Amino acid sequence: MTDASPLHHDPLYTDAALVAFYDAENEGGADVAFCTELARGVGSVLDLGCGTGAFLVGLEAPRRAGVDPAAAMLDIARARPGGAAVQWVEADARLLDLGQRFDLVVMTGHAFQVFLTEDDRHAALATIARHLAPGGRFVFDSRNPACREWEEWQPHNSRRGVAHPRHGEVEAWNGAVHDPATGIVTYETVYRLPDGRELTATSRIAFPPRDELARLIAGAGLVVERWLGDWNGGPLADDAPEFIPIGRLA
C-alpha cells in the first residue's frame, strides 16, 4: 500500500481556490440520481470519497457519514444546509474503520480510480466490506479502459466555460497522458481566470480492468449481484463506458 492517498497531494481537491470549481464541474448527474434511489428507505448510508457532500445532504437516511481525505472539500460539505446532520470524517478510505456498519456504502464520481495500485484497491474494497451491514448493499464506479476516455481529455476538445461563484465565467481545459505499462493516466486541469491568471492541478488515476475488479471484490468478501455499464442502468458490455458493481457481503 502506498503511504498516502493521492488526493492528499492533489490541489484539485486540497486547494480551496480549485475546490471552488468542484460543484460547478460535478453538479448532480445520473450517478447521484441512481444512488439516491438506492438509498430510498434505508436507515444508514456511508459515502466514501464524499467530496463536497451534495449527495449525502439530500438524503433522508437517519444516519449518514461522509468520508474524504481532503479537508477543503469537507469544509464545503459541513457548511451546506443540512450538513450538520451528517457525520463528516477526514480520512483515507483505505485505512478507515468507523466501528459502524451501514445499509448502503457508495463510492461514486470515479473516486475508486484514485487508488493507483492493486494493493490500494484491495484495501479500499476491504473498507467497504468492513462497513457494510448484513443485508446491505454497496456500489461504486470505475471507467472502462477499453473506451480510452483519456483521449478526450486534451486541450483541443476539452475547452469549456465554468461558472465560478466569485470570478464569473472561467475558461477551463484538460490534458492527459496514459501509461500503458501501469494503466495510470496523468491529467492536468487548467482554469484561466478573467484576469489571465491560471490555476492548475495535476492528478493521477488508474483504469483497472474488469477481471481485476471482480477478483478483488471477491477477495474482499463481497459478492456482485449485478454489473451495470452506465448509471442509466445500461448493461455491461465490452464498449460500456463504466464498470458499476452492485452487491453485498458474501
Side-chain angles (χ1 to χ4, degrees):
M1 186 186 299
T2 51
D3 291 336
S5 166
L7 297 188
H8 287 156
H9 308 293
D10 188 340
L12 198 61
Y13 306 103
T14 60
D15 184 333
L18 286 162
V19 169
F21 290 96
Y22 182 85
D23 284 342
E25 294 261 60
N26 299 277
E27 184 176 3
D31 57 341
V32 173
F34 188 96
C35 291
T36 298
E37 281 300 309
L38 276 185
R40 195 174 302 279
V42 306
S44 55
V45 180
L46 172 63
D47 186 357
L48 297 172
C50 66
T52 60
F55 166 64
L56 280 176
V57 297
L59 300 182
E60 297 179 354
R63 184 162 58 91
R64 290 163 283 162
V67 176
D68 203 282
M73 304 286 270
L74 293 176
D75 286 344
I76 294 176
R78 292 187 180 98
R80 285 187 181 279
V86 180
Q87 177 187 7
W88 305 108
V89 181
E90 182 182 343
D92 186 327
R94 299 168 302 174
L95 307 172
L96 182 72
D97 189 349
L98 296 176
Q100 306 173 50
R101 290 186 178 266
F102 296 81
D103 299 318
L104 177 64
V105 178
V106 305
M107 183 184 288
T108 58
H110 306 109
F112 188 78
Q113 291 183 247
V114 306
F115 303 114
L116 302 181
T117 69
E118 187 170 318
D119 284 349
D120 289 344
R121 292 187 279 275
H122 171 76
L125 290 166
T127 294
I128 291 175
R130 186 161 54 247
H131 291 86
L132 193 59
R137 287 190 289 180
F138 74 88
V139 62
F140 69 89
D141 57 2
S142 188
R143 296 177 182 89
N144 182 355
C147 293
R148 303 180 66 84
E149 189 174 336
W150 57 83
E151 293 179 351
E152 302 174 12
W153 303 342
Q154 302 301 331
H156 71 277
N157 60 5
S158 65
R159 289 188 184 273
R160 60 200 180 274
V162 180
H164 187 278
R166 183 160 59 89
H167 298 294
E169 190 73 6
V170 172
E171 184 183 14
W173 66 89
N174 300 100
V177 177
H178 174 247
D179 181 352
T182 63
I184 292 173
V185 171
T186 301
Y187 68 95
E188 184 178 45
T189 304
V190 182
Y191 296 105
R192 179 176 289 162
L193 305 182
D195 64 6
R197 287 182 297 140
E198 291 184 356
L199 305 176
T200 65
T202 300
S203 310
R204 300 173 72 213
I205 55 174
F207 284 72
R210 183 194 173 195
D211 58 350
E212 179 193 311
L213 293 179
R215 174 171 49 80
L216 291 174
I217 289 169
L222 299 166
V223 172
V224 178
E225 296 178 320
R226 57 178 170 144
W227 290 86
L228 299 180
D230 62 55
W231 283 110
N232 293 312
L236 185 61
D238 291 343
D239 61 349
E242 307 273 1
F243 300 141
I244 303 174
I246 303 171
R248 56 176 172 78
L249 289 171

